[in-house]
Amino acid sequence: MADFPSKVTTETSSTPTQSSQQGGNSLRGLTASVTNIMDMSFIRSIPAILMMVEICLGLIHWALIASTSYTAIPAYGWVMFVAVTLWILTTILFLMILFSTQQKITFIPWPLTVMVYNAAATVLYLTAFLTNASTVHPYQHFNFYGHLGAAAFFGAVVTVAYGASAFLSYLDWKGDGGNAATNTVPT
C-alpha cells in the first residue's frame, strides 16, 4: 500500500480564471441559476400547459381585434378590455407560480385564489366571446370580417381553456385530485 501524504487538502474551489472573470462561463451560470429558481415540475403539468395556451391564444385573440377598426363598434371595447386585462393577469400569475412565489407569500390561500381567478376569467371571457361573435357581420365590416371571425374562434378556444383551468383548480382547491382508490370508502 502506498503511503498517504501527511497533509491532505479538501479545498474544492479554485481561483477564478481570467476567462470566467470576463464572462466566459457567465451564460452557463446564469441559465443554471434561473433553472434552479424555476419550478420545472410546474411547466410539465396540465394547469401550466393550459395557462400557456391561454397566454398564447389570448395574445392572438386581442391582436386580431386590435388589428381591425374596433373603435367603430363600442362592444369591441369590452372585448379588448377583457382580452388584454386577462392576458396580463394570466401572464403575471403564470410567472408567479413558475418562480414559486406562492411559497414565499403564504398568507394568501393560493388554491382558492387561483380557482376564483379562473372562474371569473371564464365568465368574463364567455361574455367577451359572445359579444365578439354576435357583432361579426359579413357585410357590415367586409374588410375585417376574417379578422373578427378568427377572433371569435380564438375567443371561444380561450374560454374553453379558462373553463378547463377553472375545473382543474376547483379539484386542486377541493383536494380531490388523487386517484380513485383514495376516494373510496370501505363498507
Side-chain angles (χ1 to χ4, degrees):
M1 296 260 298
D3 292 330
F4 289 101
S6 62
K7 251 186 174 174
V8 176
T9 176
T10 58
E11 186 174 289
T12 57
S13 63
S14 61
T15 58
T17 61
Q18 188 177 8
S19 65
S20 65
Q21 287 176 352
Q22 294 175 352
N25 291 328
S26 64
L27 183 61
R28 187 175 302 154
L30 178 66
T31 58
S33 66
V34 168
T35 55
N36 287 340
I37 295 171
M38 292 184 347
D39 183 10
M40 296 307 284
S41 63
F42 172 69
I43 288 270
R44 296 181 195 108
S45 68
I46 293 175
I49 293 169
L50 282 171
M51 287 181 86
M52 288 186 275
V53 166
E54 294 161 4
I55 290 168
C56 292
L57 297 183
L59 176 66
I60 293 171
H61 179 235
W62 68 261
L64 283 168
I65 297 288
S67 67
T68 65
S69 59
Y70 67 93
T71 55
I73 300 174
Y76 283 118
W78 170 251
V79 176
M80 282 294 291
F81 170 75
V82 169
V84 172
T85 303
L86 289 179
W87 181 79
I88 291 170
L89 291 176
T90 303
T91 303
I92 291 170
L93 182 64
F94 177 77
L95 292 173
M96 287 179 71
I97 294 173
L98 180 65
F99 290 111
S100 301
T101 307
Q102 75 273 14
Q103 293 174 354
K104 295 174 182 82
I105 306 173
T106 58
F107 60 88
I108 297 174
W110 284 102
L112 179 65
T113 304
V114 172
M115 183 192 68
V116 168
Y117 170 74
N118 284 324
T122 303
V123 171
L124 288 173
Y125 236 104
L126 181 64
T127 62
F129 157 68
L130 292 174
T131 302
N132 186 7
S134 66
T135 55
V136 175
H137 300 290
Y139 303 111
Q140 193 174 22
H141 304 287
F142 186 70
N143 294 338
F144 301 112
Y145 173 69
H147 287 205
L148 297 176
F153 170 76
F154 283 111
V157 174
V158 174
T159 302
V160 170
Y162 274 116
S165 291
F167 177 72
L168 291 176
S169 59
Y170 169 74
L171 291 180
D172 184 40
W173 172 71
K174 188 178 172 189
D176 203 20
N179 65 24
T182 60
N183 297 332
T184 58
V185 178
T187 56

